[in-house]
Amino acid sequence: EDERPGCEEEAAAGATEDASAADDVPEVMELCDAAEEAADEPGKLVDVIRGIGRRLRLSPGDRDLLSDFEGIGHLCRALAAPPHEWRGGGMIALCRG
């Protein structure tokens, strides 16, 4: 355990920030639906993919939901189809995750 002054307060503050940030990011299921809806709109799809990355960093337990409910499939179908065709901002956002 770290004995430096203020470390416990910093850790508590970080946990509070993570919890409030999690409230600002939609749930994985909402993001999966949004990915399907944004398939034809490159800018929106990039935003959804970035949202998925934020959600998974905030709540690693949601990773299972992404695969259990076809979230990965929705993303792959969207990225494979025009106008993306595995290129562009959506692919960059997915790779940077």
Side-chain angles (χ1 to χ4, degrees), residues 6-89:
C7 288
E8 289 179 12
E9 292 84 7
E10 287 178 23
T16 302
E17 288 174 15
D18 287 348
S20 65
D23 292 339
D24 295 338
V25 180
E27 295 294 324
V28 169
M29 295 308 299
E30 293 173 39
L31 290 164
C32 289
D33 292 341
E36 191 172 20
E37 293 168 10
D40 296 333
E41 301 178 50
K44 285 187 179 182
L45 186 59
V46 168
D47 291 340
V48 170
I49 292 171
R50 288 181 181 151
I52 290 170
R54 282 191 301 274
R55 168 52 62 191
L56 297 182
R57 281 190 297 279
L58 291 169
S59 180
D62 284 344
R63 291 179 184 155
D64 290 338
L65 289 175
L66 192 60
S67 61
D68 289 348
F69 293 98
E70 298 296 320
I72 296 292
H74 292 314
L75 285 176
C76 289
R77 281 189 292 279
L79 289 169
H84 313 286
E85 297 176 339
W86 299 110
R87 294 186 296 269

